[in-house]
């Protein structure tokens, strides 16, 4: 078929997560869905809060003409105002509606920001372990990815970021709470990254944005307040969504928020608004915009995710897995008991437990599991984790 060679090769190398998902479908067909324990996908399992349904019903009954037409490409003014107000309250930073535009999820927001920033051949630094889609998002906008590393606790390594930056670097992507590790980047780490970026800007006479991808910002279990990136670099822009905090992944609603301290923020927001239109998103979905404007302070039942994390962490560490305890999101990134993470994932698969090899996140030697699954799946997976660990330890 006449699809491009590039897409063909991206599909072939690209998605471990998708591959595991497809393996899962086959295994479920062979063994029965209730005997396969699929921890490979980050698809939120918790239902949206009740406020969502109330607002949805209100909109369904609203017969005001024009409700479903196009609106300004950046979104409804009242939605941007509601997001800015909630952000002011959450961060203490003086956001106004002109710093916010509504997007089709965090994925849409990332593509829009990258489109606004990159010229062909420009570079973007990502920090391993990273969300694999970044590689494609950067490529979509003509950029090149450079990979920096993290320490043993999965905090980004500032020295490694410094050496990944060149004269062509236009952005560094940070993602906290992190997919795949669940780790929250500390304020100290963010301050060091900010300093590294500022030093590089001065040394290379360039401007570099910190793009903070934060769809898990409200999924935090440790009582820590979220360390925002804005105070650490003036050129910071956030991409986020309500896919996870409101359980609305299918509704494709998110936003971009530029730093009120960035002197170039109006240009950035203009460019992003143009990119939102010309990438074909046009605008974020109207119904979802109207709903989230009214439920900015609601969330899914975050404590339910915390309980799942606690159960899984205590069971897996009891078995002997080495894990950096995650403080947020709904992932864990244990060390693979076999040096080859793909071989270990295959061992788990033979016991009908599906996870994703760390290789897919730029971090071989680990594997990712998602605990945004029902309790039956979590509990059912434990025997497989136990058996595979014993087999791996006997082999090595
Ligand atoms: C780190 C990260 N960024 C972005 C996204 C995309 O989120 P959305 O569904 O809001 O586009 C995801 C989804 O899993 C994610 O994990």
């Amino acid at each position: 078929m006449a699809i491009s060679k590039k897409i063909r090769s991206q599909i072939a190398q690209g998605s471990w997560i998708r591959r595991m998902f497809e393996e899962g479908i086959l295994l479920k067909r062979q063994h029965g869905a209730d005997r396969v324990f699929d921890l490979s996908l980050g698809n939120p399992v918790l239902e949206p809060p009740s406020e969502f349904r109330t607002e949805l019903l209100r909109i369904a009954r609203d017969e005001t003409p024009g409700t479903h037409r196009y609106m300004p490409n950046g979104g409804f003014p009242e939605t941007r105002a509601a997001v800015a107000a909630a952000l002011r309250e959450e961060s203490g930073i003086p956001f106004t509606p002109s710093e916010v535009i509504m997007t089709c999820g965090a994925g849409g927001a990332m593509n829009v920001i990258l489109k606004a920033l990159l010229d062909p051949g420009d570079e973007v630094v990502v920090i391993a372990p990273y969300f694999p889609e970044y590689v494609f998002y950067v490529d979509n906008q003509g950029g090149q990815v450079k990979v920096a590393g993290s320490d043993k606790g999965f905090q980004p390594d500032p020295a490694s970021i410094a050496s990944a930056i060149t004269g062509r670097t236009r952005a560094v992507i940070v993602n906290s709470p992190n997919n795949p590790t669940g780790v929250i980047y500390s304020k100290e780490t963010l301050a060091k990254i900010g300093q590294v970026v500022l030093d590089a800007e001065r040394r290379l006479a360039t401007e570099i944005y910190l793009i903070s991808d934060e769809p898990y910002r409200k999924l935090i279990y440790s009582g820590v307040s979220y360390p925002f990136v804005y105070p650490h670099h003036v050129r910071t822009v956030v991409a986020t969504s309500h896919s996870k905090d409101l359980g609305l992944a299918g509704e494709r609603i998110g936003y971009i928020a530029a730093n009120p301290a960035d002197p170039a923020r109006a240009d950035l927001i203009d460019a992003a608004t143009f990119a939102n239109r010309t990438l074909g998103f046009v605008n974020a979905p109207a119904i979802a915009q109207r709903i989230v404007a009214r439920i900015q302070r609601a969330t899914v039942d975050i404590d339910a995710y915390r309980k799942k994390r606690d159960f899984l962490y205590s069971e897996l560490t009891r078995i002997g897995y080495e894990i950096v305890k995650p403080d947020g999101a709904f992932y864990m990134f244990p060390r693979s008991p076999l040096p080859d993470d793909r071989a270990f994932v295959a061992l788990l698969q033979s016991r009908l437990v599906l996870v994703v090899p760390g290789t897919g996140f730029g971090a071989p030697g680990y594997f990712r599991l998602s605990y945004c699954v029902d309790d039956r799946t979590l509990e059912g997976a434990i025997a497989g984790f136990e058996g595979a660990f014993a087999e791996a330890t006997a082999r090595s």
Side-chain angles (χ1 to χ4, degrees):
M1 203 175 69
I3 62 166
S4 85
K5 292 189 201 75
K6 184 169 171 180
I7 286 278
R8 198 183 293 282
S9 97
Q10 287 181 332
I11 293 172
Q13 308 153 12
S15 184
W16 274 100
I17 302 176
R18 188 100 243 141
R19 215 173 294 174
M20 298 315 293
F21 178 66
E22 278 154 17
E23 303 264 0
I25 294 173
L26 285 180
L27 285 177
K28 282 173 195 163
R29 223 175 271 152
Q30 279 169 18
H31 299 272
D34 57 338
R35 296 200 43 229
V36 176
F37 306 102
D38 188 350
L39 279 64
S40 67
L41 270 190
N43 200 359
V45 73
L46 299 182
E47 289 305 314
S50 62
E51 292 92 328
F52 169 76
R53 189 162 297 278
T54 309
E55 293 303 324
L56 184 60
L57 289 170
R58 184 184 59 78
I59 289 169
R61 292 193 199 98
D62 180 0
E63 295 184 14
T64 311
T67 302
H68 304 288
R69 292 182 191 153
Y70 292 124
M71 85 281 306
N73 299 120
F76 288 120
E78 57 276 21
T79 307
R80 298 169 68 187
V83 169
L87 268 174
R88 276 199 302 278
E89 199 175 292
E90 195 187 339
S91 67
I93 297 168
F95 288 93
T96 66
S98 55
E99 277 115 21
V100 173
I101 68 173
M102 303 309 295
T103 61
C104 294
M110 290 297 292
N111 274 280
V112 161
I113 293 169
L114 291 165
K115 177 89 179 163
L117 293 178
L118 299 184
D119 279 312
D122 282 347
E123 294 171 0
V124 176
V125 176
V126 302
I127 302 159
Y130 55 79
F131 178 52
E133 300 291 277
Y134 293 152
V135 177
F136 303 118
Y137 295 170
V138 169
D139 180 78
N140 286 345
Q141 312 312 333
Q144 307 262 341
V145 157
K146 298 275 153 169
V147 180
S150 302
D151 66 17
K152 285 194 168 9
F154 299 128
Q155 294 288 324
D157 172 12
S160 153
I161 296 172
S163 51
I165 293 176
T166 73
R168 298 269 355 222
T169 304
R170 295 288 285 132
V172 176
I173 298 177
V174 290
N175 167 224
S176 164
N178 182 263
N179 176 6
T181 65
V183 161
I184 298 175
Y185 295 172
S186 70
K187 199 169 159 184
E188 292 69 34
T189 301
L190 295 174
K192 285 184 198 154
I193 296 175
Q195 193 58 50
V196 158
V197 170
L198 189 64
D199 291 346
E201 286 183 327
R202 288 185 179 144
R203 191 177 69 247
L204 301 163
T206 53
E207 291 189 339
I208 301 172
Y209 271 85
L210 275 179
I211 304 175
S212 179
D213 180 28
E214 311 179 350
Y216 304 97
R217 185 172 84 225
K218 293 188 183 166
L219 300 190
I220 293 188
Y221 313 118
S222 49
V224 291
S225 65
Y226 180 70
F228 277 93
V229 180
Y230 297 106
H232 305 292
H233 187 54
V234 74
R235 276 171 284 287
T236 289
V237 59
V238 162
T240 189
S241 73
H242 295 300
S243 296
K244 323 286 169 161
D245 61 15
L246 289 172
L248 297 180
E251 304 301 342
R252 311 310 303 137
I253 185 72
Y255 62 84
I256 290 169
N259 191 351
D262 178 4
R265 66 194 182 286
D267 267 2
L268 176 64
I269 288 290
D270 279 355
T273 308
F274 177 81
N276 209 27
R277 185 182 102 214
T278 56
L279 283 171
F281 297 120
V282 181
N283 53 251
I287 294 177
Q289 284 196 53
R290 289 199 190 277
I291 295 175
V292 301
R294 292 188 170 229
I295 61 171
Q296 280 295 303
R297 284 149 198 87
T299 60
V300 295
D301 176 9
I302 292 168
D303 207 45
Y305 281 136
R306 186 190 56 74
K307 287 187 185 126
K308 290 176 195 292
R309 176 202 67 166
D310 290 348
F311 169 78
L312 199 60
Y313 181 78
S314 83
E315 283 298 301
L316 293 184
T317 48
R318 173 187 63 74
I319 293 168
Y321 286 93
E322 265 178 65
I323 313 172
V324 175
K325 190 173 186 181
D327 282 323
F330 36 54
Y331 307 104
M332 279 182 206
F333 205 57
R335 183 182 280 287
S336 165
L338 291 176
D340 180 349
D341 51 314
R342 285 171 295 188
F344 185 68
V345 166
L347 209 55
L348 279 171
Q349 200 173 318
S350 70
R351 292 166 189 270
L352 305 185
V353 175
L354 299 177
V355 301
V356 186
T359 300
F361 303 89
Y366 295 84
F367 63 95
R368 187 195 78 170
L369 49 86
S370 302
Y371 53 87
C372 53
V373 294
D374 56 31
D375 290 342
R376 191 202 62 80
T377 305
L378 277 189
E379 287 156 17
I382 300 302
F385 279 119
E386 201 143 20
F389 188 85
E391 196 177 332
T393 329
R395 267 198 217 173
S396 49

